[in-house]
Amino acid sequence: MTGTKAISNISIDCIIFSFHNDELHTLLLKWAAGKSRGEWALPGGYVNYDENIDAAASRVLKIHTGLDHVYLEQLKAFGDVNRYPKKRVITITYFSLVKYSDIKVEASESVYEVQWFPVKNHPELIFDHQEILQFGLNRLKQIVRHEPIGFKLLPLEFTLLQLQSLYEAILETKFDKPNFRRKLLKMKLLNDTGKKQENVSHRAANLYKFDLNIYEKLKDKGFTFDL
Amino acid sequence: MTGTKAISNISIDCIIFSFHNDELHTLLLKWAAGKSRGEWALPGGYVNYDENIDAAASRVLKIHTGLDHVYLEQLKAFGDVNRYPKKRVITITYFSLVKYSDIKVEASESVYEVQWFPVKNHPELIFDHQEILQFGLNRLKQIVRHEPIGFKLLPLEFTLLQLQSLYEAILETKFDKPNFRRKLLKMKLLNDTGKKQENVSHRAANLYKFDLNIYEKLKDKGFTFDL
DNA sequence: ACACTTGTAGTCAAAATGACAAAAAGATGT
DNA sequence: ACATCTTTTTGTCATTTTGACTACAAGTGT
């Protein structure tokens, strides 16, 4: 409470998910200073006294990705006594879904090394961050099946196969292509843009757009997105 | 850090759900001392320095219900700057599902008045507790549809109609009786106890028991409980 | 014996699902 | 220009699931 504005025992950690190369990725950073130099960790920071925790999470996210106004949702508070070795710190974790193309990873401060890692193949993480990431993955699996948020990981316009690959990566299953297409189109949540894929060496697929408005309307009428 | 073991800026609040009289209820308590005397609130308390947050939640739950080893899950951390008027306190909320018959409400300390209220008709709550309760209700709606936890609100042995009423209360819908029965029985998660209802002035219904073991096995094989 | 209440079984058309087959649309190479 | 290859897109079909009912069964209470 002297010069610092930060609350010393409450931190924020963010899992930042993106999807590219047919794999789900998460953004990790390597500490360049202090005792934990060289260790990989989730992006994080402390909550300030005059700052709501959601605002703190947004700030942390912005610092590390440059992004604002992104999907960001609280995951869980982790507060085991010894989760942080130096002192008792409870961390409130968030997870965020971003479009890979929106982020330029090299733009971060020089103190950190920042890198995307496939969630199925990433370096060891510091403290309880591995547990946090695992929890986030499970939560993502849950949510993605019952709410149409997968779209936030894709470009605005996408093909049905991209969408399918996304779900296959997250849910760790395979779908039948014609059936997946049928199911999604029947929901009427996708708008045909009329455009087609470009620069592919085969028949170009149609590009679709997710229509949030329609979804909101259907939801009011009792519709629930499922799988 | 002098005489008190409590961390002064991190609290716990619990939503305790139970089901009776065909309605979902939550346990509230009235403060008997201090500035907020006479106001209704969710059961809560502070986290101790040497205590994991989950343990703190269990302790709080036990203090107010006498119950141990109950379904208890973290809901969300609430941390708006001004949520608590006196100072900056972040509260980590939990929700619990208990069997009504397991709890004797009058057993609590004399400083509090403790009472069950239907979630659709309860007094005004202090601070942001109304928001917390609302969030908990929504979360319950979500979870109950995709995981078989509704059973934790019922006696060990229950009739299909009790189960149906429970779901109707939580989800705020009506189901067709024969269809609901068909669906649930097809899941094979209910064991017929052979016993029947007693002391009812009509045909006695069969009593069933939820089989957690079978559920775990099916889940491993990819089964998901749905609605 | 009768009505009354609630539980339980069964019917039936419509919709959804899962497993395919086949046609269509480009791109590429000869 | 043509055949070939790849991926998209459209269809088919048997099976399962759903939703809306009807009918029957088992008890109570009069």
Side-chain angles (χ1 to χ4, degrees), chain A residues 171-222:
Chain A
L171 298 174
E172 303 180 274
T173 24
K174 287 284 173 194
F175 294 104
D176 173 87
K177 212 193 310 189
N179 292 343
F180 183 84
R181 147 191 237 79
R182 177 178 53 184
K183 182 158 194 172
L184 266 290
L185 290 180
K186 195 159 34 197
M187 291 185 186
K188 304 278 183 194
L189 296 176
L190 300 184
N191 280 339
D192 189 335
T193 64
K195 300 184 207 167
K196 295 206 175 293
Q197 247 180 339
E198 279 172 19
N199 303 320
V200 284
S201 67
H202 56 263
R203 175 174 178 183
N206 228 313
L207 290 170
Y208 291 90
K209 221 172 175 171
F210 172 67
D211 192 322
L212 185 62
N213 284 333
I214 295 184
Y215 172 62
E216 296 293 351
K217 275 181 208 157
L218 288 178
K219 203 170 57 169
D220 289 347
K221 288 180 190 159

Short mmCIF file of all heavy atoms in Angstrom, two decimals, chain A residues 171-222:
data_model
loop_
_atom_site.label_atom_id
_atom_site.label_comp_id
_atom_site.label_asym_id
_atom_site.label_seq_id
_atom_site.Cartn_x
_atom_site.Cartn_y
_atom_site.Cartn_z
N LEU A 171 -12.45 -31.98 -28.66
CA LEU A 171 -13.16 -33.08 -28.02
C LEU A 171 -12.43 -34.41 -28.16
O LEU A 171 -12.85 -35.42 -27.59
CB LEU A 171 -14.57 -33.20 -28.60
CG LEU A 171 -15.45 -31.97 -28.39
CD1 LEU A 171 -16.76 -32.11 -29.13
CD2 LEU A 171 -15.71 -31.77 -26.90
N GLU A 172 -11.36 -34.40 -28.93
CA GLU A 172 -10.59 -35.63 -29.14
C GLU A 172 -11.45 -36.77 -29.67
O GLU A 172 -11.44 -37.87 -29.14
CB GLU A 172 -9.86 -36.05 -27.85
CG GLU A 172 -8.97 -34.94 -27.33
CD GLU A 172 -8.25 -35.33 -26.05
OE1 GLU A 172 -8.83 -35.15 -24.95
OE2 GLU A 172 -7.11 -35.80 -26.13
N THR A 173 -12.21 -36.46 -30.70
CA THR A 173 -13.00 -37.48 -31.41
C THR A 173 -12.91 -37.24 -32.90
O THR A 173 -12.31 -36.26 -33.34
CB THR A 173 -14.52 -37.39 -31.10
OG1 THR A 173 -14.82 -36.08 -30.67
CG2 THR A 173 -14.94 -38.42 -30.10
N LYS A 174 -13.56 -38.10 -33.63
CA LYS A 174 -13.70 -37.92 -35.07
C LYS A 174 -15.19 -37.85 -35.39
O LYS A 174 -15.99 -38.53 -34.76
CB LYS A 174 -13.07 -39.10 -35.82
CG LYS A 174 -11.55 -39.09 -35.79
CD LYS A 174 -11.01 -38.05 -36.75
CE LYS A 174 -9.50 -37.89 -36.61
NZ LYS A 174 -9.03 -36.66 -37.28
N PHE A 175 -15.53 -37.01 -36.35
CA PHE A 175 -16.90 -36.96 -36.82
C PHE A 175 -16.96 -37.39 -38.28
O PHE A 175 -15.98 -37.25 -39.01
CB PHE A 175 -17.46 -35.54 -36.70
CG PHE A 175 -17.58 -35.06 -35.29
CD1 PHE A 175 -16.66 -34.16 -34.76
CD2 PHE A 175 -18.61 -35.50 -34.48
CE1 PHE A 175 -16.78 -33.72 -33.46
CE2 PHE A 175 -18.73 -35.05 -33.18
CZ PHE A 175 -17.81 -34.16 -32.66
N ASP A 176 -18.12 -37.85 -38.67
CA ASP A 176 -18.35 -38.15 -40.08
C ASP A 176 -18.64 -36.83 -40.79
O ASP A 176 -19.48 -36.05 -40.34
CB ASP A 176 -19.54 -39.11 -40.19
CG ASP A 176 -19.97 -39.34 -41.62
OD1 ASP A 176 -19.38 -40.25 -42.25
OD2 ASP A 176 -20.85 -38.61 -42.10
N LYS A 177 -17.95 -36.59 -41.90
CA LYS A 177 -18.05 -35.27 -42.52
C LYS A 177 -19.48 -34.93 -42.97
O LYS A 177 -20.00 -33.88 -42.58
CB LYS A 177 -17.07 -35.15 -43.68
CG LYS A 177 -16.57 -33.71 -43.83
CD LYS A 177 -15.86 -33.41 -45.12
CE LYS A 177 -14.75 -34.41 -45.45
NZ LYS A 177 -13.95 -33.91 -46.60
N PRO A 178 -20.11 -35.76 -43.77
CA PRO A 178 -21.48 -35.40 -44.18
C PRO A 178 -22.43 -35.21 -43.00
O PRO A 178 -23.27 -34.30 -43.01
CB PRO A 178 -21.91 -36.60 -45.03
CG PRO A 178 -20.65 -37.18 -45.53
CD PRO A 178 -19.65 -36.98 -44.44
N ASN A 179 -22.31 -36.04 -42.01
CA ASN A 179 -23.23 -35.93 -40.87
C ASN A 179 -22.98 -34.67 -40.05
O ASN A 179 -23.92 -34.02 -39.60
CB ASN A 179 -23.11 -37.16 -39.98
CG ASN A 179 -23.63 -38.42 -40.66
OD1 ASN A 179 -24.35 -38.32 -41.66
ND2 ASN A 179 -23.24 -39.58 -40.16
N PHE A 180 -21.70 -34.35 -39.88
CA PHE A 180 -21.37 -33.14 -39.13
C PHE A 180 -21.94 -31.92 -39.84
O PHE A 180 -22.58 -31.07 -39.22
CB PHE A 180 -19.85 -33.00 -39.01
CG PHE A 180 -19.41 -31.82 -38.20
CD1 PHE A 180 -19.34 -31.90 -36.82
CD2 PHE A 180 -19.04 -30.63 -38.82
CE1 PHE A 180 -18.93 -30.82 -36.07
CE2 PHE A 180 -18.64 -29.54 -38.08
CZ PHE A 180 -18.57 -29.63 -36.71
N ARG A 181 -21.74 -31.90 -41.15
CA ARG A 181 -22.26 -30.81 -41.96
C ARG A 181 -23.78 -30.70 -41.82
O ARG A 181 -24.32 -29.62 -41.56
CB ARG A 181 -21.88 -31.08 -43.41
CG ARG A 181 -22.85 -30.61 -44.43
CD ARG A 181 -22.50 -31.17 -45.80
NE ARG A 181 -22.32 -30.10 -46.73
CZ ARG A 181 -21.24 -29.35 -46.82
NH1 ARG A 181 -20.21 -29.56 -46.04
NH2 ARG A 181 -21.19 -28.39 -47.70
N ARG A 182 -24.45 -31.80 -41.96
CA ARG A 182 -25.91 -31.81 -41.87
C ARG A 182 -26.38 -31.24 -40.54
O ARG A 182 -27.24 -30.37 -40.47
CB ARG A 182 -26.42 -33.25 -42.03
CG ARG A 182 -27.92 -33.39 -41.86
CD ARG A 182 -28.38 -34.82 -42.08
NE ARG A 182 -27.65 -35.77 -41.22
CZ ARG A 182 -27.80 -37.08 -41.27
NH1 ARG A 182 -28.65 -37.61 -42.15
NH2 ARG A 182 -27.13 -37.87 -40.48
N LYS A 183 -25.75 -31.73 -39.48
CA LYS A 183 -26.15 -31.29 -38.15
C LYS A 183 -25.98 -29.79 -37.96
O LYS A 183 -26.88 -29.09 -37.51
CB LYS A 183 -25.32 -32.04 -37.10
CG LYS A 183 -25.70 -31.71 -35.69
CD LYS A 183 -25.28 -32.82 -34.77
CE LYS A 183 -25.94 -32.67 -33.41
NZ LYS A 183 -25.68 -33.84 -32.56
N LEU A 184 -24.81 -29.31 -38.32
CA LEU A 184 -24.53 -27.88 -38.12
C LEU A 184 -25.45 -27.00 -38.96
O LEU A 184 -25.96 -25.99 -38.49
CB LEU A 184 -23.06 -27.59 -38.44
CG LEU A 184 -22.09 -27.61 -37.28
CD1 LEU A 184 -22.34 -26.42 -36.36
CD2 LEU A 184 -22.22 -28.91 -36.47
N LEU A 185 -25.65 -27.41 -40.21
CA LEU A 185 -26.48 -26.57 -41.07
C LEU A 185 -27.94 -26.56 -40.61
O LEU A 185 -28.63 -25.56 -40.72
CB LEU A 185 -26.38 -27.05 -42.53
CG LEU A 185 -25.02 -26.79 -43.19
CD1 LEU A 185 -25.02 -27.30 -44.61
CD2 LEU A 185 -24.67 -25.30 -43.16
N LYS A 186 -28.36 -27.66 -40.06
CA LYS A 186 -29.75 -27.72 -39.61
C LYS A 186 -30.02 -26.74 -38.46
O LYS A 186 -31.14 -26.31 -38.24
CB LYS A 186 -30.10 -29.15 -39.18
CG LYS A 186 -31.59 -29.36 -39.06
CD LYS A 186 -31.96 -30.84 -39.15
CE LYS A 186 -30.87 -31.70 -38.55
NZ LYS A 186 -30.94 -33.09 -38.94
N MET A 187 -28.96 -26.42 -37.73
CA MET A 187 -29.14 -25.48 -36.63
C MET A 187 -29.44 -24.07 -37.12
O MET A 187 -29.92 -23.24 -36.35
CB MET A 187 -27.87 -25.44 -35.79
CG MET A 187 -27.58 -26.68 -35.01
SD MET A 187 -26.14 -26.42 -33.97
CE MET A 187 -25.91 -28.07 -33.31
N LYS A 188 -29.10 -23.80 -38.34
CA LYS A 188 -29.38 -22.49 -38.94
C LYS A 188 -28.57 -21.36 -38.31
O LYS A 188 -28.96 -20.20 -38.35
CB LYS A 188 -30.87 -22.14 -38.82
CG LYS A 188 -31.80 -23.17 -39.42
CD LYS A 188 -31.92 -22.98 -40.90
CE LYS A 188 -32.92 -23.95 -41.52
NZ LYS A 188 -32.79 -24.00 -42.99
N LEU A 189 -27.45 -21.72 -37.72
CA LEU A 189 -26.64 -20.68 -37.07
C LEU A 189 -25.53 -20.17 -37.98
O LEU A 189 -24.85 -19.21 -37.65
CB LEU A 189 -25.99 -21.24 -35.79
CG LEU A 189 -26.96 -21.65 -34.69
CD1 LEU A 189 -26.22 -22.28 -33.54
CD2 LEU A 189 -27.73 -20.42 -34.23
N LEU A 190 -25.38 -20.83 -39.12
CA LEU A 190 -24.30 -20.43 -40.02
C LEU A 190 -24.86 -19.72 -41.24
O LEU A 190 -25.79 -20.21 -41.88
CB LEU A 190 -23.52 -21.68 -40.45
CG LEU A 190 -22.87 -22.48 -39.33
CD1 LEU A 190 -22.06 -23.62 -39.88
CD2 LEU A 190 -22.01 -21.59 -38.45
N ASN A 191 -24.29 -18.59 -41.52
CA ASN A 191 -24.67 -17.86 -42.72
C ASN A 191 -23.70 -18.17 -43.85
O ASN A 191 -22.49 -18.03 -43.69
CB ASN A 191 -24.64 -16.35 -42.46
CG ASN A 191 -25.89 -15.89 -41.75
OD1 ASN A 191 -26.92 -16.57 -41.78
ND2 ASN A 191 -25.80 -14.75 -41.10
N ASP A 192 -24.24 -18.54 -44.96
CA ASP A 192 -23.42 -18.74 -46.14
C ASP A 192 -22.97 -17.36 -46.64
O ASP A 192 -23.79 -16.50 -46.91
CB ASP A 192 -24.26 -19.44 -47.21
CG ASP A 192 -23.42 -19.89 -48.38
OD1 ASP A 192 -22.36 -19.28 -48.62
OD2 ASP A 192 -23.82 -20.84 -49.06
N THR A 193 -21.66 -17.16 -46.76
CA THR A 193 -21.16 -15.85 -47.19
C THR A 193 -21.18 -15.73 -48.71
O THR A 193 -20.97 -14.64 -49.24
CB THR A 193 -19.72 -15.63 -46.73
OG1 THR A 193 -18.89 -16.61 -47.38
CG2 THR A 193 -19.59 -15.79 -45.23
N GLY A 194 -21.38 -16.83 -49.41
CA GLY A 194 -21.31 -16.80 -50.85
C GLY A 194 -19.88 -16.93 -51.36
O GLY A 194 -19.63 -17.36 -52.46
N LYS A 195 -18.94 -16.60 -50.48
CA LYS A 195 -17.52 -16.69 -50.87
C LYS A 195 -17.02 -18.13 -50.80
O LYS A 195 -17.66 -19.00 -50.22
CB LYS A 195 -16.67 -15.83 -49.94
CG LYS A 195 -17.04 -14.37 -49.98
CD LYS A 195 -16.08 -13.58 -49.10
CE LYS A 195 -16.74 -12.31 -48.58
NZ LYS A 195 -15.97 -11.69 -47.48
N LYS A 196 -15.86 -18.30 -51.41
CA LYS A 196 -15.24 -19.62 -51.38
C LYS A 196 -13.79 -19.52 -50.94
O LYS A 196 -13.17 -18.47 -51.02
CB LYS A 196 -15.31 -20.26 -52.77
CG LYS A 196 -16.72 -20.55 -53.25
CD LYS A 196 -16.75 -21.68 -54.26
CE LYS A 196 -18.19 -22.02 -54.62
NZ LYS A 196 -18.94 -22.59 -53.50
N GLN A 197 -13.29 -20.60 -50.47
CA GLN A 197 -11.88 -20.74 -50.14
C GLN A 197 -11.02 -20.32 -51.33
O GLN A 197 -11.43 -20.48 -52.46
CB GLN A 197 -11.58 -22.22 -49.88
CG GLN A 197 -11.21 -22.58 -48.49
CD GLN A 197 -10.96 -24.07 -48.40
OE1 GLN A 197 -11.43 -24.84 -49.24
NE2 GLN A 197 -10.23 -24.49 -47.39
N GLU A 198 -9.81 -19.85 -51.04
CA GLU A 198 -8.91 -19.51 -52.15
C GLU A 198 -7.56 -20.18 -51.97
O GLU A 198 -7.17 -20.52 -50.86
CB GLU A 198 -8.75 -18.00 -52.25
CG GLU A 198 -9.93 -17.35 -52.97
CD GLU A 198 -9.86 -15.83 -52.90
OE1 GLU A 198 -8.77 -15.29 -52.64
OE2 GLU A 198 -10.91 -15.19 -53.11
N ASN A 199 -6.90 -20.35 -53.09
CA ASN A 199 -5.56 -20.94 -53.07
C ASN A 199 -5.50 -22.34 -52.47
O ASN A 199 -4.58 -22.67 -51.74
CB ASN A 199 -4.57 -20.04 -52.30
CG ASN A 199 -4.53 -18.65 -52.88
OD1 ASN A 199 -4.56 -18.49 -54.11
ND2 ASN A 199 -4.50 -17.65 -52.03
N VAL A 200 -6.47 -23.12 -52.77
CA VAL A 200 -6.39 -24.51 -52.39
C VAL A 200 -6.32 -25.35 -53.66
O VAL A 200 -6.91 -24.99 -54.67
CB VAL A 200 -7.58 -24.96 -51.52
CG1 VAL A 200 -7.43 -24.45 -50.12
CG2 VAL A 200 -8.89 -24.51 -52.14
N SER A 201 -5.63 -26.45 -53.59
CA SER A 201 -5.42 -27.25 -54.80
C SER A 201 -6.49 -28.33 -54.94
O SER A 201 -6.21 -29.49 -55.18
CB SER A 201 -4.04 -27.90 -54.74
OG SER A 201 -4.03 -28.83 -53.70
N HIS A 202 -7.70 -27.93 -54.75
CA HIS A 202 -8.82 -28.86 -54.91
C HIS A 202 -10.09 -28.03 -54.90
O HIS A 202 -10.03 -26.79 -54.77
CB HIS A 202 -8.84 -29.87 -53.77
CG HIS A 202 -8.89 -29.26 -52.42
ND1 HIS A 202 -7.78 -29.06 -51.64
CD2 HIS A 202 -9.91 -28.74 -51.71
CE1 HIS A 202 -8.12 -28.48 -50.51
NE2 HIS A 202 -9.41 -28.27 -50.53
N ARG A 203 -11.19 -28.65 -54.99
CA ARG A 203 -12.45 -27.91 -54.98
C ARG A 203 -12.52 -26.99 -53.76
O ARG A 203 -12.32 -27.42 -52.61
CB ARG A 203 -13.62 -28.90 -54.93
CG ARG A 203 -14.94 -28.18 -54.80
CD ARG A 203 -16.08 -29.14 -54.91
NE ARG A 203 -17.35 -28.46 -54.75
CZ ARG A 203 -18.51 -29.08 -54.76
NH1 ARG A 203 -18.54 -30.40 -54.91
NH2 ARG A 203 -19.62 -28.42 -54.62
N ALA A 204 -12.84 -25.74 -53.98
CA ALA A 204 -12.87 -24.76 -52.88
C ALA A 204 -14.15 -24.91 -52.07
O ALA A 204 -15.24 -25.04 -52.64
CB ALA A 204 -12.77 -23.35 -53.43
N ALA A 205 -14.00 -24.89 -50.77
CA ALA A 205 -15.16 -25.04 -49.90
C ALA A 205 -15.84 -23.71 -49.67
O ALA A 205 -15.22 -22.65 -49.75
CB ALA A 205 -14.75 -25.66 -48.57
N ASN A 206 -17.10 -23.78 -49.36
CA ASN A 206 -17.88 -22.61 -49.03
C ASN A 206 -17.43 -21.99 -47.72
O ASN A 206 -17.07 -22.71 -46.79
CB ASN A 206 -19.34 -23.04 -48.89
CG ASN A 206 -20.26 -22.14 -49.65
OD1 ASN A 206 -20.14 -20.92 -49.56
ND2 ASN A 206 -21.16 -22.73 -50.40
N LEU A 207 -17.48 -20.66 -47.63
CA LEU A 207 -17.14 -20.00 -46.38
C LEU A 207 -18.42 -19.62 -45.63
O LEU A 207 -19.34 -19.05 -46.22
CB LEU A 207 -16.29 -18.77 -46.64
CG LEU A 207 -14.87 -19.07 -47.13
CD1 LEU A 207 -14.17 -17.80 -47.58
CD2 LEU A 207 -14.06 -19.74 -46.01
N TYR A 208 -18.44 -19.93 -44.36
CA TYR A 208 -19.60 -19.62 -43.53
C TYR A 208 -19.20 -18.65 -42.43
O TYR A 208 -18.03 -18.49 -42.10
CB TYR A 208 -20.17 -20.90 -42.90
CG TYR A 208 -20.80 -21.82 -43.91
CD1 TYR A 208 -20.04 -22.81 -44.53
CD2 TYR A 208 -22.14 -21.71 -44.22
CE1 TYR A 208 -20.61 -23.67 -45.45
CE2 TYR A 208 -22.73 -22.57 -45.14
CZ TYR A 208 -21.96 -23.55 -45.75
OH TYR A 208 -22.54 -24.39 -46.65
N LYS A 209 -20.24 -18.06 -41.87
CA LYS A 209 -20.06 -17.09 -40.80
C LYS A 209 -21.03 -17.48 -39.68
O LYS A 209 -22.18 -17.80 -39.96
CB LYS A 209 -20.47 -15.72 -41.35
CG LYS A 209 -19.59 -14.58 -40.95
CD LYS A 209 -20.02 -13.36 -41.75
CE LYS A 209 -19.25 -12.14 -41.31
NZ LYS A 209 -19.50 -11.02 -42.23
N PHE A 210 -20.58 -17.41 -38.46
CA PHE A 210 -21.49 -17.69 -37.35
C PHE A 210 -22.37 -16.48 -37.09
O PHE A 210 -21.88 -15.36 -37.03
CB PHE A 210 -20.68 -18.05 -36.10
CG PHE A 210 -21.52 -18.17 -34.87
CD1 PHE A 210 -22.44 -19.20 -34.76
CD2 PHE A 210 -21.40 -17.26 -33.83
CE1 PHE A 210 -23.23 -19.32 -33.63
CE2 PHE A 210 -22.20 -17.37 -32.70
CZ PHE A 210 -23.11 -18.40 -32.60
N ASP A 211 -23.66 -16.71 -36.93
CA ASP A 211 -24.58 -15.59 -36.70
C ASP A 211 -25.04 -15.55 -35.25
O ASP A 211 -25.95 -16.27 -34.84
CB ASP A 211 -25.79 -15.72 -37.63
CG ASP A 211 -26.61 -14.44 -37.64
OD1 ASP A 211 -26.75 -13.82 -36.57
OD2 ASP A 211 -27.08 -14.05 -38.71
N LEU A 212 -24.41 -14.66 -34.49
CA LEU A 212 -24.69 -14.57 -33.06
C LEU A 212 -26.13 -14.12 -32.81
O LEU A 212 -26.79 -14.60 -31.89
CB LEU A 212 -23.71 -13.59 -32.40
CG LEU A 212 -23.83 -13.48 -30.89
CD1 LEU A 212 -23.53 -14.82 -30.23
CD2 LEU A 212 -22.89 -12.40 -30.34
N ASN A 213 -26.62 -13.21 -33.63
CA ASN A 213 -27.99 -12.71 -33.44
C ASN A 213 -29.01 -13.83 -33.50
O ASN A 213 -29.87 -13.94 -32.63
CB ASN A 213 -28.33 -11.68 -34.52
CG ASN A 213 -27.65 -10.36 -34.22
OD1 ASN A 213 -27.38 -10.05 -33.06
ND2 ASN A 213 -27.37 -9.60 -35.27
N ILE A 214 -28.88 -14.64 -34.55
CA ILE A 214 -29.82 -15.75 -34.67
C ILE A 214 -29.73 -16.65 -33.46
O ILE A 214 -30.73 -17.10 -32.91
CB ILE A 214 -29.54 -16.54 -35.96
CG1 ILE A 214 -29.81 -15.65 -37.18
CG2 ILE A 214 -30.40 -17.79 -36.02
CD1 ILE A 214 -29.65 -16.36 -38.49
N TYR A 215 -28.50 -16.89 -33.03
CA TYR A 215 -28.33 -17.76 -31.87
C TYR A 215 -29.05 -17.21 -30.65
O TYR A 215 -29.76 -17.94 -29.96
CB TYR A 215 -26.85 -17.97 -31.55
CG TYR A 215 -26.63 -18.71 -30.26
CD1 TYR A 215 -27.08 -20.01 -30.11
CD2 TYR A 215 -26.00 -18.10 -29.17
CE1 TYR A 215 -26.91 -20.69 -28.92
CE2 TYR A 215 -25.83 -18.77 -27.98
CZ TYR A 215 -26.28 -20.07 -27.85
OH TYR A 215 -26.11 -20.73 -26.67
N GLU A 216 -28.88 -15.93 -30.41
CA GLU A 216 -29.54 -15.32 -29.24
C GLU A 216 -31.05 -15.49 -29.33
O GLU A 216 -31.72 -15.80 -28.34
CB GLU A 216 -29.17 -13.83 -29.14
CG GLU A 216 -27.69 -13.55 -28.90
CD GLU A 216 -27.19 -14.02 -27.54
OE1 GLU A 216 -28.03 -14.40 -26.70
OE2 GLU A 216 -25.96 -14.01 -27.32
N LYS A 217 -31.57 -15.28 -30.52
CA LYS A 217 -33.02 -15.41 -30.69
C LYS A 217 -33.48 -16.84 -30.42
O LYS A 217 -34.45 -17.08 -29.71
CB LYS A 217 -33.43 -14.99 -32.11
CG LYS A 217 -33.64 -13.49 -32.25
CD LYS A 217 -34.07 -13.15 -33.68
CE LYS A 217 -33.62 -11.73 -34.05
NZ LYS A 217 -33.52 -11.54 -35.51
N LEU A 218 -32.77 -17.78 -31.02
CA LEU A 218 -33.15 -19.17 -30.83
C LEU A 218 -33.05 -19.57 -29.36
O LEU A 218 -33.86 -20.32 -28.83
CB LEU A 218 -32.26 -20.08 -31.67
CG LEU A 218 -32.50 -20.04 -33.19
CD1 LEU A 218 -31.51 -20.94 -33.90
CD2 LEU A 218 -33.92 -20.48 -33.51
N LYS A 219 -32.01 -19.07 -28.71
CA LYS A 219 -31.81 -19.42 -27.31
C LYS A 219 -32.99 -18.96 -26.46
O LYS A 219 -33.46 -19.69 -25.59
CB LYS A 219 -30.51 -18.79 -26.78
CG LYS A 219 -29.96 -19.52 -25.58
CD LYS A 219 -28.56 -19.06 -25.22
CE LYS A 219 -28.50 -17.58 -24.95
NZ LYS A 219 -27.21 -17.18 -24.35
N ASP A 220 -33.47 -17.78 -26.74
CA ASP A 220 -34.64 -17.29 -26.02
C ASP A 220 -35.84 -18.21 -26.21
O ASP A 220 -36.69 -18.33 -25.33
CB ASP A 220 -35.00 -15.87 -26.49
CG ASP A 220 -33.99 -14.85 -26.01
OD1 ASP A 220 -33.17 -15.20 -25.14
OD2 ASP A 220 -33.99 -13.72 -26.51
N LYS A 221 -35.88 -18.83 -27.36
CA LYS A 221 -37.02 -19.73 -27.63
C LYS A 221 -36.78 -21.13 -27.09
O LYS A 221 -37.55 -22.04 -27.36
CB LYS A 221 -37.26 -19.81 -29.14
CG LYS A 221 -37.86 -18.54 -29.73
CD LYS A 221 -38.08 -18.69 -31.23
CE LYS A 221 -38.45 -17.36 -31.86
NZ LYS A 221 -38.19 -17.34 -33.32
N GLY A 222 -35.69 -21.31 -26.38
CA GLY A 222 -35.47 -22.60 -25.75
C GLY A 222 -34.47 -23.51 -26.47
O GLY A 222 -34.21 -24.62 -26.02
#
